[in-house]
Amino acid sequence: MGRMHPQPLLIDGTAGHLFAVSYAVPAPSGRALLILPPFGEEMNRSRRMLALLARAVAARGVAVLMLDLFGTGDSGGGWEQASWRQWREDADRAVAWLSRGHHSLSVLGLRTGALLALETAAAHDLDRAVLWQPVTAGATFLTQTLRIRATTSAQGETVAALRARLRAGETLEVGGYAINPALADALEELTIEAAVARCRCPIHWFHLGDEAPAVATTLCEHLEVLAGPPFWSIEETTLIPDLIEATAALWPATTPEAP
Amino acid sequence: MTTTLERVRTLLGDVLALGERAQLLTPETGLLGSIPEMDSMAVATVVAQLEDRFGLVLDDSDLTEEAFLTVGALVRLVDAKMAET
């Protein structure tokens, strides 16, 4: 059996085309996984880990689709058009695409992608939601993102001042990316508690570090803590094989059926 | 029980990709202005990691230049904020 190569493709999103990479399997098992990326530079820095994960899961007979959200990556649209609502619709389109030929769908998200994954799982009643280091409070994430600009700015900008400008309707550039007011508003309201509450399927939470946040233990039955650095925030490509292995293990490998 | 110093050392090692040099960090080790890896982008990442790993909320007023001059100063910031919560 030859090795299957990942295939780039375009999916029709509600606002324009969505770029995705499909990891097909030689012997379909009816199972599929949608991977939702993190935001901004984190997406860039986690590409390799997510690609390796996709391969590992596909090797178990699970078709994988890795999506670039609208206004990010190679999908259509610019930063002005990126919004949480748009991303929810993008994920919906990706689920629809995957459900052709697959009856058992799961979703995995990294960081902000994890919050999106929970909402997607809830909306479609998916089999399983897998979270890699979920952002637990969108407001904190927004602060941390604005801080990137505040600390690298020569103009003495503070996080508070930048936040006020967003609220006043200004789109802000941060480290080569941009946050528009609609996206900022959505981030301010997002919490892991609310996202988990809406999700009825099993949730698997993977945390990298020595101690998971207290909220993880309270909210999630399937919590796994692994040692390793925050690869999505490190410039040098950082790989954590244990995380890939532990995640892929969620799907029992299928053996190809005899012809 | 891991001390704040040990956890901050691990954090800096992770964020700044110091490798084995992380083990050599002492409270006196200079950060901002001393090691090249600690540029302004790294400061933002270090602060985010401090918040995430220690469960803290750091605002603009906490982030003085002094707090980032040495490893020890950073440890003191973390301990002070943890005592507040």
Side-chain angles (χ1 to χ4, degrees):
Chain A
M1 185 188 314
R3 200 176 116 150
M4 304 285 293
H5 293 285
Q7 295 296 323
L9 60 107
L10 296 180
I11 294 176
D12 281 333
T14 56
H17 74 264
L18 298 169
F19 178 82
V21 177
S22 160
Y23 295 73
V25 296
S29 66
R31 297 172 299 167
L33 170 68
L34 171 64
I35 297 181
L36 298 175
F39 178 81
E41 189 60 22
E42 292 189 3
M43 177 176 174
N44 220 17
R45 294 178 176 183
S46 58
R47 277 194 187 285
R48 187 108 176 87
M49 272 294 285
L50 291 177
L52 289 173
L53 172 74
R55 281 183 195 276
V57 172
R60 290 168 163 268
V62 180
V64 179
L65 188 75
M66 179 114 64
L67 183 69
D68 282 5
L69 300 167
F70 197 72
T72 77
D74 290 317
S75 283
W79 282 107
E80 292 291 346
Q81 294 152 294
S83 69
W84 197 261
R85 173 176 301 154
Q86 183 58 57
W87 292 350
R88 278 283 309 107
E89 293 180 9
D90 297 342
D92 288 345
R93 282 294 169 98
V95 168
W97 190 91
L98 267 178
S99 56
R100 295 175 336 195
H102 302 107
H103 51 78
S104 168
L105 299 184
S106 301
V107 59
L108 180 147
L110 168 62
R111 297 279 290 151
T112 46
L115 292 171
L116 193 62
L118 285 167
E119 293 190 358
T120 303
H124 296 276
D125 205 11
L126 301 183
D127 283 9
R128 176 192 288 139
V130 185
L131 317 178
W132 273 12
Q133 207 89 357
V135 163
T136 55
T140 306
F141 176 78
L142 181 60
T143 298
Q144 293 175 349
T145 304
L146 293 176
R147 199 183 280 132
I148 294 171
R149 171 158 167 170
T151 57
T152 55
S153 141
Q155 290 136 352
E157 296 170 328
T158 63
V159 169
L162 292 170
R163 209 181 209 104
R165 287 164 65 180
L166 274 169
R167 289 210 181 104
E170 189 181 336
T171 292
L172 295 179
E173 275 191 42
V174 177
Y177 300 86
I179 302 189
N180 64 56
L183 182 59
D185 281 349
L187 286 170
E188 297 275 27
E189 302 301 314
L190 287 167
T191 67
I192 192 77
E193 289 87 344
V196 166
R198 284 199 289 272
C199 184
R200 287 153 292 168
C201 66
I203 299 169
H204 293 261
W205 182 323
F206 289 90
H207 177 86
L208 279 178
D210 48 23
E211 206 179 296
V215 67
T217 323
T218 320
L219 290 181
C220 191
E221 289 180 350
H222 312 283
L223 170 64
E224 197 163 338
V225 178
L226 297 163
F231 60 89
W232 57 88
S233 64
I234 299 173
E235 198 177 321
E236 294 80 6
T237 305
T238 307
L239 301 181
I240 305 168
D242 283 353
L243 176 58
I244 292 171
E245 205 175 293
T247 307
L250 294 176
W251 291 269
T254 50
T255 48
E257 288 173 353
Chain B
M1 162 103 86
T2 333
T3 64
T4 304
L5 174 61
E6 284 165 323
R7 293 174 73 187
V8 167
R9 195 187 276 145
T10 303
L11 186 159
L12 291 170
D14 284 348
V15 172
L16 305 178
L18 297 178
E20 285 171 14
R21 279 190 290 152
Q23 299 312 311
L24 305 175
L25 297 176
T26 71
E28 291 71 40
T29 308
L31 293 174
L32 201 58
S34 300
I35 59 177
E37 290 90 342
M38 194 73 167
D39 59 19
S40 48
M41 177 75 199
V43 168
T45 309
V46 166
V47 172
Q49 282 297 307
L50 288 173
E51 287 184 315
D52 291 351
R53 295 190 195 205
F54 292 95
L56 305 173
V57 175
L58 297 170
D59 46 44
D60 294 319
S61 59
D62 293 316
L63 307 179
T64 62
E65 200 180 290
E66 288 71 36
F68 291 86
L69 286 179
T70 66
V71 173
L74 210 54
V75 170
R76 282 192 293 280
L77 170 64
V78 171
D79 283 338
K81 294 302 287 189
M82 286 206 293
E84 278 177 24
T85 54

